[in-house]
Every structure is written in structure tokens, then in C-alpha cells.
Amino acid sequence: MTPSGNRFRALLVCLTPAVCLAIGCDGGGRMPDAQTQPAAYSAELSVRFEVSPDRPATVSVLGFRAASAGPETDVQGLVDPLAAAAPDQGCVLRDVDLSNRALATRGSSVDLEELGGVGVGLGAGAPSTVIRTFPRVYPDVAGVVGGVVGEAAPQPIASLPEHVSLISPDSELPVAELAVPALPKLLAINGSAPAAGMRVDGSGGLSLSLAGAGGSFIELRPFGATVVVSCAVPSNASTESVVSIPRALLAHLRAPDAAANGGNVGLSVEVARRVRVREPLVTAGTRVSVEVRSTLAVELRP
């Protein structure tokens, strides 16, 4: 029941948000048909810190340029569904399979190119640790997205830095420094202190209590499934806040064969906060995302 592997695991299995948009993968690049679809170009760099109580903290990096054809899309959320935008308010259900089919039906496509040579320093000034990405072929899932990305797999870190430094390919000096957002604290699930492997009664919905969570979001991800429930915490939330997830949404997290396990579902409760800015890293409009995330494996009971 414990999640494992690269937290950019969307490169291998599409597990996350996306009724709005989601991912397809491809082992080889393809250019959009310029005669039928105008192309939009972007550059993306994503830095993710995972800080969970039951295992060492890690940092991972993903960077790419993209040429996308079709309706306007959240390209970063397509390539890495964990990075898909959170709802503006309330809770939503996303299904990556439905989103893949919708993208293919609309004739959308995204061609990827490695954002090479960039570095992410852990700390401000002249950081002693610099994370570099390496090229990786983006595997095929739905024939919508393909090409090559730059990736640094999760690497253990001793502690969460207060800042990250962005290092361009042309210089070993930082071109920008960004603050790492503070991680909200999950205080309770249905009134009980959170613990790995805990059994949670979902018959009346879920109530999640958090501290310092304003502007963050919560996601519930069943292991091995393509659906996710994503909930926003208002930016003006008080010091302690409660997010309520109705039973009607939880019902969609159960697989058709869940009855064989008594209707119980193993899922990951994830709390995250993310900042997104544009920096002149490789191109003037490179969009940089810095995210901190914690995960807790629980068993949801009907």
C-alpha cells in the first residue's frame, strides 16, 4: 500500500489530476501539423520536494520545451499530471483516461524537447548542491505527447532548503532565487491523528484538518488508478482549517473490483503547496514551478 518510485511517475504511469487536462506519452517526438493546428511554444521547469514522515525527504526536477497544437492547454500538467493546476475552490474529480481521450479527439498534440544545461541549487547565494537534469525519452501512453524531457530523479536531501537557485546553461552563477513554499501540516483525518496505514471510514465523507494551509491543496490518489480528487484550501484560510470531501466524490475512487477487498481502497493522501513564476532562465518566459508535497498512505473503508 505504500507508494514508491519517482514522484514524476507520471512519466511511467498516468496517475493524476486531469479532468481538465492530462497526459499522453510517446517514445519519439512529433511535430504538430502546422497546416491544421497553430503551435504555441513554452519552456517549463518544475522542482518538487517530497517531505513525508515515513521516509527521507527528496528533491526531483523536470524541464522541457514544448510545441503544442490544439486548444490552449496546461502543458506542464500534461507532461507531469502531479503538476496539474489545483481547482480555484472546492473539490473536483479528475480522470486522466477521460482527459487523454478528449485530447486525442480534439486533435491536440505536444512535442517535447529537453531543457538542457539548467541547474537547480539547493540554497541561496552559491549553493553547495546543484541538481542537473539528464535527457529522458517520454514514453507513449495516448499518442498525444512525445519527445524528450530533462529529468533528475528523486534524490535524498538532509532537510528542506529555504530557497532554490536557478542556474542557466550559460553560467555557473544563479540567475534567480526562489523561496521554497512552507509545507502545510495535516493534523487529523476524521478527527484522528494521521498515521501511515491507518484505516479511514469514508461512509460519511472525509474531514481533513490542517495547519498553515492557506493557498495549498489536497489530493486523494488511489494506488494504481487514474482518478484523483483535488481540493483547494482558500488563500485566506485561518491558521487551522478543515477541508470536507463528500462521500459522492469518494465513491469515484473505488475501482470496479474493490468489492473483492470488502470495498476498501488503498490511497495516498497528499498535501501540497506550489508557487509558479516566470524567469529568464533559457528563454525570457520560462515558467518555473517550486512545489513541496507530503504523502500519507491510508486505507479508505466504505
Side-chain angles (χ1 to χ4, degrees):
M1 192 166 77
T2 302
S4 63
N6 188 347
R7 290 300 294 168
F8 283 120
R9 62 183 178 272
L11 298 179
L12 299 176
V13 179
C14 304
L15 285 184
T16 158
V19 143
C20 26
L21 297 163
I23 148 180
C25 312
D26 189 0
R30 79 178 64 71
M31 289 303 296
D33 184 351
Q35 294 182 346
T36 58
Q37 299 277 10
Y41 299 92
S42 62
E44 310 274 354
L45 181 70
S46 176
V47 183
R48 177 173 294 126
F49 294 94
E50 185 168 345
V51 185
S52 301
D54 57 342
R55 54 187 179 277
T58 61
V59 58
S60 52
V61 181
L62 180 71
F64 57 87
R65 293 184 178 90
S68 55
E72 183 177 352
T73 58
D74 175 10
V75 176
Q76 195 171 43
L78 279 173
V79 177
D80 172 19
L82 284 177
D88 292 332
Q89 59 183 358
C91 296
V92 298
L93 177 73
R94 296 187 173 113
D95 187 328
V96 69
D97 279 351
L98 293 178
S99 299
N100 285 340
R101 290 197 288 270
L103 287 170
T105 300
R106 296 203 305 262
S108 300
S109 64
V110 178
D111 188 77
L112 303 172
E113 178 186 345
E114 176 197 5
L115 190 68
V118 300
V120 176
L122 305 185
S128 58
T129 301
V130 177
I131 309 297
R132 298 284 184 180
T133 61
F134 296 91
R136 180 188 182 117
V137 174
Y138 193 85
D140 189 343
V141 169
V144 178
V145 182
V148 177
V149 297
E151 181 187 17
Q155 302 181 27
I157 55 176
S159 61
L160 190 67
E162 294 183 357
H163 296 82
V164 293
S165 302
L166 306 180
I167 301 172
S168 75
D170 303 325
S171 171
E172 290 300 315
L173 298 176
V175 297
E177 293 179 358
L178 300 176
V180 175
L183 178 67
K185 184 176 182 180
L186 179 61
L187 300 175
I189 302 177
N190 284 356
S192 298
M198 68 184 295
R199 294 182 176 180
V200 180
D201 181 7
S203 60
L206 285 186
S207 176
L208 306 177
S209 302
L210 303 105
S216 65
F217 57 97
I218 294 173
E219 294 178 336
L220 304 182
R221 302 177 184 281
F223 301 131
T226 62
V227 294
V228 60
V229 169
S230 180
C231 301
V233 180
S235 58
N236 62 351
S238 59
T239 304
E240 292 190 12
S241 53
V242 177
V243 174
S244 298
I245 305 174
R247 182 182 179 182
L249 277 180
L250 298 179
H252 293 281
L253 301 180
R254 295 188 173 91
D257 60 354
N261 190 32
N264 298 339
V265 178
L267 58 80
S268 177
V269 179
E270 307 190 0
V271 181
R273 179 177 275 127
R274 177 188 300 143
V275 295
R276 281 179 170 170
V277 297
R278 291 192 179 274
E279 295 288 350
L281 186 59
V282 175
T283 65
T286 299
R287 186 169 68 163
V288 180
S289 167
V290 180
E291 175 189 292
V292 60
R293 179 180 292 252
S294 69
T295 65
L296 179 72
V298 304
E299 185 176 274
L300 181 65
R301 307 181 72 178

